[in-house]
Amino acid sequence: RSVTPLVGRDAELEALLAAVDEARRGTGWIIEIAGPAGIGKSRLVAELIARAPDVIVLHARCEEYEASTPYYPMRAPMRSVLGLEADADTPVVEERLREAVGNVDPALLPWLPLLGILLGLDLADTPETHALDDRFLRERLAEVTMKFLYTRLAGTPTMLAVEDVHFMDEATHDLLLRLARAGAELRQIMLVTHKDVGSAWAPQD
């Protein structure tokens, strides 16, 4: 569909491209595209990505049959960050993650099992993760994820595009809200699409 000319969305595309320009200058954005199925949300996102070739795009699509799997939508973006193919074997994924985290910040290595969760890995606990109270798991996971992603992608405008968030599991929703709040001052765009017209997904001040 991306090769089909985009028709009738000039105003929307202009607004999106303006947000990308602001991200290039250092202002983060949260963008919500809502509308019923078949209205062209995915086509609009594809056109935006095509017109912003300098922006790193981490793309995910929420699947209805994975709606009960915690953090499933984060697997594709995390693999993109690590430069992995979708069919990479578990040992390869673990090795690449360990290498990337060590390069970004060795102080994050004790929290490697938390990042492993986002890739669907079940890594052995470290003393630090073993001692982590479940009540603070999500908060710490968001902190580690933000530091890893934003340090690794520092200096480059980045778009995290997550489609069909009406199928998103609650754990991923919580994580993205935390990242959105914490990343408000970074050169980052968080873009979500869903079918529930009139609902506000983005966090409010």
Side-chain angles (χ1 to χ4, degrees), residues 68-92:
S68 61
T69 304
Y71 302 110
Y72 180 83
M74 293 300 298
R75 295 185 187 184
M78 286 293 291
R79 283 175 178 258
S80 293
V81 170
L82 297 175
L84 290 166
E85 299 294 333
D87 59 352
D89 294 335
T90 296
V92 174

Side-chain angles (χ1 to χ4, degrees), residues 25-43:
R25 294 192 293 268
T27 301
W29 272 82
I30 301 170
I31 300 172
E32 184 177 9
I33 302 177
I39 202 172
K41 301 185 295 295
S42 293
R43 179 65 187 85

